[in-house]
Amino acid sequence: MDTSLDTLFRLYTFTPGRRLFAIGQVRKAALAAGDLDFAVFATSCIDHDEALRTLEAKWAAQDEKAPAFAPEAKPIDLAVDGVLVAIRDTAERQVEASAQGDPLATSGSALLKEIFPRGLFAVTSLPYVEELCEVERILGVLQDPMRVSTVQELGLSRYVARLVDLAKQYRTALELPLPKRITFLEVKAARAEGQRRMLQLVAMIVGRYPSEAPEDQASRMAMLGPIVQQNEAIGHALRARRAADDVDPETGEPLQAPIVNDAPALTTSPA
């Protein structure tokens, strides 16, 4: 036998904005009536749903495809590309400016062909790990004792030192653990928890004012009126075969655009 609150209290699943607005109104009514237990619990419901909105925003902002490496790798990759461009451009200018028969033109051309045998783009367009391997190979060439004089004459020494430092940073960044991604299951669970908390608040109020005496009915309406009003609005929208738009959690006014979510939604229909 199912005795869960969503079975005993058949309410539609509220959007976060509708729930925040309704429970905010319940809290105001509870404070006005001096029912601090209700006010405190309503505050905990609001705190949860505000955290839920933050969670949903972070989830929606994630790339659909999980990144292969920590985000710290991207700026280092760009910096590496910049240094490689500077090495190529500087060496090419020196070779082009050399007098006919200048040995530097020959050694410089040979160096460029060795470090970029298929061109610069063939290196900078590689995936991170492959590019790092190429950078380390290039550094091996540039730091070869037989190439030291050519590197110095071409004016590449500062770029080589910079590339050595970046290669170390690159490897460190690629070994960093990936940031934790927010899954839809987490969002779904948080949404369900927000709905359960609202139902728990409803149960607490009904338990405090359980009879059909006029006083209890009046107290129930004062406390639960905002929730009933939002529930009826959702029901009206569903009966009209349209989605129930979310509302501003502060004013209760409908938002300009409905929440669109391709993920499966939680639904609870009244009996």
Side-chain angles (χ1 to χ4, degrees):
M1 181 181 295
D2 186 0
T3 59
S4 59
L5 290 176
D6 63 343
T7 299
L8 298 175
F9 297 96
R10 302 293 283 178
L11 296 177
Y12 293 104
T13 298
F14 282 31
T15 58
R18 287 185 182 276
R19 199 162 54 229
L20 276 168
F21 177 71
I23 295 177
Q25 297 301 303
V26 172
R27 179 172 63 178
K28 289 179 182 178
L31 289 172
D35 285 312
L36 296 184
D37 290 345
F38 295 160
V40 169
F41 189 76
T43 298
S44 73
C45 295
I46 291 170
D47 290 343
H48 174 273
D49 277 340
E50 287 179 342
L52 168 60
R53 284 163 67 86
T54 300
L55 181 71
E56 287 189 327
K58 291 180 178 179
W59 173 65
Q62 292 179 150
D63 293 334
E64 290 186 13
K65 184 178 179 181
F69 299 99
E72 289 84 352
K74 184 173 183 178
I76 298 172
D77 174 73
L78 294 175
V80 166
D81 291 351
V83 173
L84 292 175
V85 169
I87 288 173
R88 182 202 61 184
D89 291 351
T90 301
E92 284 184 345
R93 283 196 297 270
Q94 289 283 25
V95 169
E96 290 168 359
S98 298
Q100 187 174 6
D102 188 337
L104 183 61
T106 301
S107 61
S109 296
L111 181 66
L112 280 170
K113 186 173 182 180
E114 189 170 0
I115 60 178
F116 302 124
R118 293 178 295 162
L120 174 65
F121 184 71
V123 177
T124 58
S125 62
L126 288 170
Y128 290 166
V129 173
E130 286 84 346
E131 181 168 342
L132 175 59
C133 291
E134 269 297 282
V135 166
E136 291 174 340
R137 181 194 66 79
I138 289 169
L139 281 172
V141 174
L142 293 171
Q143 293 178 306
D144 187 327
M146 296 181 63
R147 303 285 191 277
V148 170
S149 61
T150 300
V151 167
Q152 291 175 343
E153 288 185 73
L154 291 172
L156 303 179
S157 298
R158 291 180 67 251
Y159 296 133
V160 173
R162 175 64 173 149
L163 196 58
V164 168
D165 184 52
L166 285 173
K168 293 177 183 177
Q169 294 180 40
Y170 209 175
R171 181 164 293 281
T172 299
L174 295 182
E175 292 173 352
L176 288 174
L178 290 175
K180 182 180 180 297
R181 284 177 62 82
I182 298 169
T183 67
F184 177 67
L185 288 179
E186 293 176 77
V187 176
K188 181 178 178 181
R191 289 174 179 172
E193 177 62 19
Q195 185 77 5
R196 280 193 295 268
R197 285 171 176 264
M198 182 181 69
L199 294 175
Q200 188 175 344
L201 180 61
V202 171
M204 291 168 63
I205 293 170
V206 171
R208 179 75 61 84
Y209 306 108
S211 77
E212 295 305 319
E215 310 85 59
D216 277 6
Q217 287 197 48
S219 295
R220 284 202 302 270
M221 180 53 64
M223 296 288 181
L224 295 178
I227 293 176
V228 172
Q229 183 181 31
Q230 293 300 322
N231 193 64
E232 289 177 346
I234 295 170
H236 178 75
L238 294 177
R239 286 190 293 274
R241 298 184 180 277
R242 60 181 177 82
D245 296 353
D246 205 5
V247 303
D248 186 295
E250 298 294 331
T251 67
E253 293 296 320
L255 296 177
Q256 291 297 317
I259 291 180
V260 178
N261 193 339
D262 293 334
L266 293 172
T267 56
T268 303
S269 301

